Amino acid sequence: MSDHLDHLRRAIAVSQAARDHGNHPFGAVLVDREGRIVLEAENTVVTHRDATGHAETNLVRLASNQLDADELAACTLVTSCEPCAMCSGAIYWSGIGAVVYGLAETGLLAMTGAHDENPTLTLPCRDVLGAGSRTIEVTGPLLEEEAAAPHRGFWD
């Protein structure tokens, strides 16, 4: 569990970097079977003008291009916030074996409300990932106060 927390803190730092770069404050890291961070990605929705540029989806694209199916199955995607339905679908199709997240989607929704730039779906990642034919381990929410910090003042 302490490794999860260390990796989650790195994903939260990446989310702050996304904000610092002019994007929405979301970040994700990919951890291999040995517990090493092998890839990082931040949200690029604003700077790339791409509605699909969520941190998790960006990370899935990178991972799918660099790792084979066996490696992906042994990896954990660690993300600052609970993956949305789109990102959960991308994670599922990538073959990544586990997800760890910080701030729950319900917590994010409480912070953003009906913000035009974050029309949050109230569809838990466990529901999306659990609807598939293979099991993906999901852990979270964890460190919600820390994960919420990069969002404070952003959606106002």
Side-chain angles (χ1 to χ4, degrees):
M1 180 60 87
S2 68
D3 284 349
H4 284 332
L5 299 182
D6 290 343
H7 296 134
L8 184 52
R9 285 189 173 101
R10 180 61 198 151
I12 294 166
V14 174
S15 75
Q16 181 61 55
R19 180 178 177 164
D20 294 345
H21 295 137
N23 287 294
H24 303 150
F26 299 96
V29 300
L30 191 69
V31 179
D32 70 10
R33 70 179 81 229
E34 283 81 36
R36 296 179 303 227
I37 294 175
V38 294
L39 293 169
E40 297 183 349
E42 58 187 61
N43 179 288
T44 58
V45 167
V46 176
T47 56
H48 289 180
R49 297 181 56 160
D50 178 1
T52 67
H54 293 195
E56 301 90 341
T57 303
N58 288 339
L59 189 63
V60 164
R61 284 186 192 109
L62 289 170
S64 296
N65 283 317
Q66 296 181 29
L67 303 172
D68 65 33
D70 289 340
E71 290 173 304
L72 287 169
C75 284
T76 300
L77 188 146
V78 182
T79 182
S80 60
C81 289
E82 182 174 0
C84 71
M86 176 186 70
C87 292
S88 296
I91 292 163
Y92 177 80
W93 288 110
S94 74
I96 290 171
V99 172
V100 173
Y101 68 88
L103 182 62
E105 190 76 12
T106 53
L108 179 63
L109 180 60
M111 294 182 82
T112 65
H115 196 285
D116 289 347
E117 292 184 39
N118 193 49
T120 303
L121 295 168
T122 54
L123 182 59
C125 71
R126 281 181 174 84
D127 291 353
V128 176
L129 296 171
S133 62
R134 65 179 182 84
T135 302
I136 299 173
E137 179 183 343
V138 178
T139 304
L142 300 170
L143 302 177
E144 286 193 280
E145 283 301 311
E146 290 179 47
H151 294 270
R152 289 197 183 93
F154 184 85
W155 304 102
D156 298 339

